[in-house]
Amino acid sequence: MKTYHTLRLILGDQLNEQHSWFKQIDSGTLYVMMELRSETDYVKHHIQKVVAFFSAMRAFAARLQEMGHDVYYITLDEEGNAGTFTANLNLLFAATQAKRFEYQLPDEYRLDKELRQFCSEAGYPYSVYDTEHFLSHRDDLRRFFEGKKQYLMESFYRKMRIDYKVLLDGDQPHGGKWNYDAENRESWSHTGGIPEPPLPRRETTAWQSWLESCGVRTIGELAPNFDWPITRKEGLQLLSFFIEHQLPWFGKFQDAMTVQHRFLFHSRLSFSMNVKLIHPLEVIQAAESAYRQQPDRYPLAAVEGFIRQILGWREYMRGMYWAFIPGYRHMNYFGHERALPKWFWTGETRMRCMQAAIGQSLDAAYAHHIQRLMITGNFALLAGIHPDAVDEWYLGIYVDAVEWVQLPNTRGMSQFADGGLVGTKPYVSSAAYINKMSDYCKGCAYQAKLKTGEGACPFNSLYWHFYHRNREKLATNPRIGMVYPTLDKMANRDALLQQAEIYLSQLDQL
Ligand code: FAD
Ligand code: SF4
């Protein structure tokens, strides 16, 4: 093997061809990328997630070579692949006689720890670089909220709007308000089609059999729905498509759910951004610039709502992750212990909302935010599922699932297992909300309006049972409002709680 003075490691979610590393070509630097069993196996992943990561990594390695860089790419089945970063790096240092190690800051605590340990044990001089991807540094959020009681996303978001001068007139929010969320709550009652992005549908049969031959265990389906962007060019195509065809309606139908369309007006940009094919600022700027050029076509509420997801929520979640990891992983505020019902892995339940959200997750490795939060997450919280099991499911099933964003969303926002660090109150609802925001309840084996008895919707009794059993922890929460006075006045309270007990004792049969 040729000798090099430096090895630079690129992780599978660091596919940023605009990084300053790649501005100059140095024939003494070898870029190293690897497919590893430690990565395919730390949780059971959706097959589309594994294929999307590996395809994007391979395309990225080819792109760097095309740009003139030396790349050593280790495939999963390569003879001599030792299975972990540390073991492979040791082999490569010996083979190339390199004397220096460089890497970009990992976004996951697990890898951050592994690479720091490698550096201290291997003893090579080393440098760690920023990924040049995020709009705030790991510790910015912790410093911003130092000494404060609450970590409110809204305050962090406003700071970010000012720092990046996004949707601002001078130092004031454009349009007079910082947040137009109240205008973004319509359900979907239309029948028209929604255009599909022109992304290539790849032939994936070879991937399926190759992963099987490597012994990688996965969940979900690969064909016929695999169309995730795997290059920067495709990520940018998806962005242009979103701006042109979806952004005008993004806000209005952001919380809507329907069996007619899996994606509605959601962008599906999370994978492209999470593996760094495209930069969050270019996404934000594309949305703002479309609005500034055609304010009559793009409602401000849609544009602000979309930008808030990225400049606000995405950066906030990352900051929360680094502020509270590693302890965050073990938080279980309500002491929930139940196992995840078996149908989370098959979608075979009579609850039509769960069938739809889980079914499409298995088919497409995707569900939009409200499906994740108010259907699957809502059910898991009401049913008292152990947050470890909930995390494992979310981390495995979605194409965009990487721990820094999955964990605070799942354990924090969705399960309130952090006791209110991310959310100020638990996101739970009975059937009324689901019925209002979706067409799931029509045709369901259960009846949304029934609370007890044959065919009663499980969400109804479980909702009240959740509040009843957690009274001590929630009664003083100022955001809970009339829940406890209503519960205390209920004539059928005992029957309702009994109904919930029955459902809780047979979760696998729901
Ligand atoms: P859009 O609806 O089009 O939104 C645009 C972008 O905003 C997204 O691509 C994403 O980058 C960002 N965004 C929106 N909401 C959030 C949020 N709450 N946190 C961080 N970024 C956000 N997102 C992930 O990227 N990976 C995950 O593993 C993940 N797990 C989640 C688990 C749960 C329980 C919940 C409730 C949410 C989770 N999210 C996760 C956040 C959000 O649901 C997804 O980012 C979004 O559904 C991705 O689809 P999209 O690209 O079409 O998003
Ligand atoms: Fe879901 Fe209940 Fe509606 Fe059925 S009736 S779809 S279980 S909310």
Side-chain angles (χ1 to χ4, degrees):
M1 196 174 196
K2 195 180 144 189
T3 57
Y4 291 90
H5 55 73
T6 300
L7 296 190
R8 279 182 166 176
L9 177 68
I10 301 171
L11 301 177
D13 64 351
Q14 296 180 337
L15 313 181
N16 174 8
E17 70 177 59
Q18 296 188 310
H19 193 276
S20 52
W21 265 8
F22 309 121
K23 299 241 176 321
Q24 277 173 358
I25 292 163
D26 173 2
S27 60
T29 295
L30 180 64
Y31 290 95
V32 179
M33 298 180 71
M34 11 180 144
E35 296 171 5
L36 297 173
R37 284 308 289 262
S38 58
E39 298 306 296
T40 56
D41 296 2
Y42 67 84
V43 74
K44 194 152 97 166
H45 302 280
H46 197 295
I47 187 163
Q48 291 195 22
K49 182 180 174 189
V50 181
V51 174
F53 267 84
F54 283 180
S55 307
M57 285 166 67
R58 290 178 186 192
F60 189 71
R63 173 81 185 121
L64 290 186
Q65 280 164 334
E66 198 182 282
M67 288 160 75
H69 300 286
D70 278 9
V71 181
Y72 191 81
Y73 190 97
I74 307 176
T75 57
L76 199 63
D77 57 351
E78 183 169 317
E79 209 175 317
N81 183 344
T84 65
F85 288 110
T86 305
N88 281 333
L89 284 171
N90 280 328
L91 291 172
L92 277 170
F93 267 100
T96 59
Q97 297 172 37
K99 300 282 178 279
R100 181 171 184 81
F101 179 55
E102 298 186 345
Y103 68 102
Q104 296 175 22
L105 272 179
D107 292 324
E108 276 182 56
Y109 178 80
R110 176 179 63 91
L111 294 176
D112 194 57
K113 196 169 155 200
E114 184 176 340
L115 292 179
R116 270 187 285 126
Q117 198 169 340
F118 170 77
C119 290
S120 77
E121 285 170 4
Y124 300 107
Y126 69 94
S127 304
V128 189
Y129 291 72
D130 197 277
T131 56
E132 302 170 8
H133 173 82
F134 288 99
L135 303 171
S136 51
H137 291 287
R138 269 185 186 179
D139 294 333
D140 281 357
L141 177 137
R142 192 178 41 76
R143 280 197 287 266
F144 180 73
F145 287 111
E146 198 114 60
K148 306 238 170 62
K149 275 199 188 134
Q150 283 186 315
Y151 294 75
L152 288 178
M153 193 288 295
E154 187 66 27
S155 330
F156 191 66
Y157 167 56
R158 290 182 190 185
K159 163 199 151 46
M160 296 295 285
R161 285 265 296 272
I162 293 166
D163 286 357
Y164 282 89
K165 301 186 175 37
V166 171
L167 287 179
L168 282 193
D169 294 334
D171 57 357
Q172 291 305 307
H174 179 68
K177 285 200 288 181
W178 290 99
N179 183 319
Y180 291 86
D181 211 20
E183 294 175 33
N184 290 340
R185 308 254 163 90
E186 263 191 50
S187 61
W188 176 254
S189 54
H190 306 258
T191 47
I194 296 173
E196 281 289 313
L199 285 173
R201 285 199 182 250
R202 294 186 168 77
E203 171 51 49
T204 48
T205 330
W207 274 108
Q208 178 112 30
S209 46
W210 180 74
L211 283 171
E212 274 163 19
S213 73
C214 293
V216 177
R217 289 171 63 236
T218 56
I219 47 177
E221 300 297 326
L222 189 51
N225 294 315
F226 185 91
D227 62 355
W228 295 106
I230 58 160
T231 60
R232 174 167 168 76
K233 193 172 159 211
E234 290 174 3
L236 290 173
Q237 271 172 5
L238 190 60
L239 172 60
S240 303
F241 176 85
F242 170 75
I243 300 286
E244 183 56 29
H245 298 285
Q246 295 174 296
L247 180 58
W249 297 277
F250 174 84
K252 206 168 170 182
F253 300 113
Q254 195 180 338
D255 291 0
M257 295 171 283
T258 169
V259 286
Q260 293 175 39
H261 299 286
R262 288 175 170 170
F263 307 109
L264 274 169
F265 299 99
H266 292 273
S267 68
R268 276 173 278 179
L269 287 168
S270 49
F271 175 76
S272 308
M273 276 192 278
N274 291 357
V275 298
K276 306 182 181 56
L277 295 175
I278 58 174
H279 197 279
L281 199 55
E282 66 191 320
V283 178
I284 291 166
Q285 285 171 345
E288 175 162 8
S289 126
Y291 167 74
R292 297 276 187 191
Q293 283 167 30
Q294 290 177 274
D296 295 340
R297 177 152 195 260
Y298 293 95
L300 178 55
V303 175
E304 186 281 318
F306 179 70
I307 288 176
R308 183 172 3 100
Q309 306 309 311
I310 299 169
L311 189 58
W313 281 109
R314 189 169 187 268
E315 295 290 324
Y316 169 84
M317 287 300 189
R318 174 164 178 270
M320 290 299 280
Y321 177 78
W322 284 105
F324 292 101
I325 200 76
Y328 204 86
R329 270 202 200 122
H330 308 291
M331 290 180 178
N332 186 358
Y333 183 64
F334 296 120
H336 284 163
E337 289 294 336
R338 284 197 180 81
L340 202 67
K342 293 195 178 69
W343 40 260
F344 261 81
W345 303 102
T346 62
E348 287 165 16
T349 160
R350 287 179 297 143
M351 290 184 282
R352 195 160 180 247
C353 52
M354 296 295 280
Q355 230 175 61
I358 296 172
Q360 81 163 70
S361 304
L362 291 166
D363 281 355
Y366 179 90
H368 72 63
H369 186 68
I370 296 300
Q371 293 174 305
R372 297 186 204 198
L373 186 66
M374 297 310 295
I375 304 293
T376 41
N378 184 10
F379 184 88
L381 179 54
L382 294 181
I385 309 298
H386 196 299
D388 284 358
V390 186
D391 270 336
E392 187 192 344
W393 188 80
Y394 280 98
L395 189 56
I397 201 157
Y398 293 119
V399 71
D400 56 26
V402 271
E403 196 191 59
W404 64 265
V405 56
Q406 173 275 327
L407 188 72
N409 266 298
T410 304
R411 204 167 273 252
M413 181 186 251
S414 151
Q415 299 303 293
F416 204 77
D418 61 3
L421 290 171
V422 164
T424 48
K425 66 170 188 162
Y427 281 98
V428 284
S429 82
S430 64
Y433 172 84
I434 299 174
N435 201 11
K436 183 170 149 233
M437 294 311 300
S438 79
D439 53 13
Y440 296 150
C441 299
K442 292 182 202 99
C444 178
Y446 295 99
Q447 290 184 46
K449 296 228 153 53
L450 279 185
K451 293 187 173 61
T452 56
E454 185 74 24
C457 169
F459 279 88
N460 292 334
S461 52
L462 291 178
Y463 173 82
W464 291 108
H465 192 275
F466 167 79
Y467 276 115
H468 170 72
R469 68 179 187 259
N470 293 307
R471 185 183 283 262
E472 226 174 87
K473 291 195 160 124
L474 296 175
T476 53
N477 183 324
R479 293 214 51 217
I480 303 284
M482 291 303 288
V483 166
Y484 286 104
T486 310
L487 180 62
D488 292 338
K489 272 195 253 147
M490 258 180 199
N492 63 345
R493 190 175 75 157
D494 290 347
L496 199 59
L497 298 177
Q498 253 174 27
Q499 178 71 69
E501 293 287 347
I502 295 170
Y503 283 147
L504 288 171
S505 69
Q506 51 187 42
L507 288 178
D508 279 340
Q509 279 77 52
L510 289 178

